[in-house]
Amino acid sequence: VQLQASGGGLVQPGDSLRLSCVGSGNSFSSSTIGWFRQAPGMEREFVSAIAWIGGGTLYADSVKGRFTISRDNAKNTVYLQMNSLKPEDTALYRCYARRPRYNALSSSLSDYPYWGRGTLVTVSS
């Protein structure tokens, strides 16, 4: 599974952004996808994940109620809608994939063996 994230940018607090994670290969549509982020000088942290079947989702407490993850398998794309952005959301965001047909949601980076280039989100006034 090959992945590419896009949609980042510089926004002000309270603004919204939608990130996209486009996958290539036949197995993307059968892969649980997770978003992780890493701020400068900080550990990588889990943001959200969506199962490949059944529509199950998982969110970090820090983004619950503000971020929404969704997927369009026909387009091989997973989206992360980010609303009410805060300066602490500033980070490099990267999408990851679990092995195909592993439907279980996970917040552990070690469960995601595939990743691609990230996209930078900067929230600043």
Side-chain angles (χ1 to χ4, degrees), residues 73-94:
N73 283 339
K75 296 182 178 180
N76 268 13
T77 304
V78 168
Y79 302 100
L80 185 68
Q81 178 67 43
M82 307 188 296
N83 298 330
S84 303
L85 283 162
K86 305 175 181 180
E88 51 263 44
D89 294 317
T90 295
L92 180 69
Y93 285 71
R94 189 177 276 123

Side-chain angles (χ1 to χ4, degrees), residues 63-76:
V63 306
K64 205 171 292 185
R66 298 188 299 123
F67 290 11
T68 302
I69 192 170
S70 62
R71 68 189 301 158
D72 184 342
N73 283 339
K75 296 182 178 180
N76 268 13

Side-chain angles (χ1 to χ4, degrees), residues 30 32 50-56 98-106:
S30 59
T32 290
I50 186 165
W52 73 274
I53 194 170
R98 295 205 68 174
R99 295 191 189 282
R101 302 191 179 277
Y102 273 64
N103 202 44
L105 297 165
S106 172

Side-chain angles (χ1 to χ4, degrees), residues 8-90:
L10 172 62
V11 297
Q12 296 187 336
D15 284 352
S16 298
L17 275 177
R18 188 177 77 161
L19 306 185
S20 298
C21 173
V22 178
S24 61
N26 295 331
S27 55
F28 180 86
S29 60
S30 59
S31 298
T32 290
I33 302 296
W35 284 96
F36 290 76
R37 66 186 181 186
Q38 186 168 22
M42 304 290 285
E43 296 276 325
R44 204 162 303 172
E45 66 170 346
F46 171 76
V47 177
S48 182
I50 186 165
W52 73 274
I53 194 170
T57 58
L58 183 66
Y59 295 94
D61 287 343
S62 59
V63 306
K64 205 171 292 185
R66 298 188 299 123
F67 290 11
T68 302
I69 192 170
S70 62
R71 68 189 301 158
D72 184 342
N73 283 339
K75 296 182 178 180
N76 268 13
T77 304
V78 168
Y79 302 100
L80 185 68
Q81 178 67 43
M82 307 188 296
N83 298 330
S84 303
L85 283 162
K86 305 175 181 180
E88 51 263 44
D89 294 317
T90 295

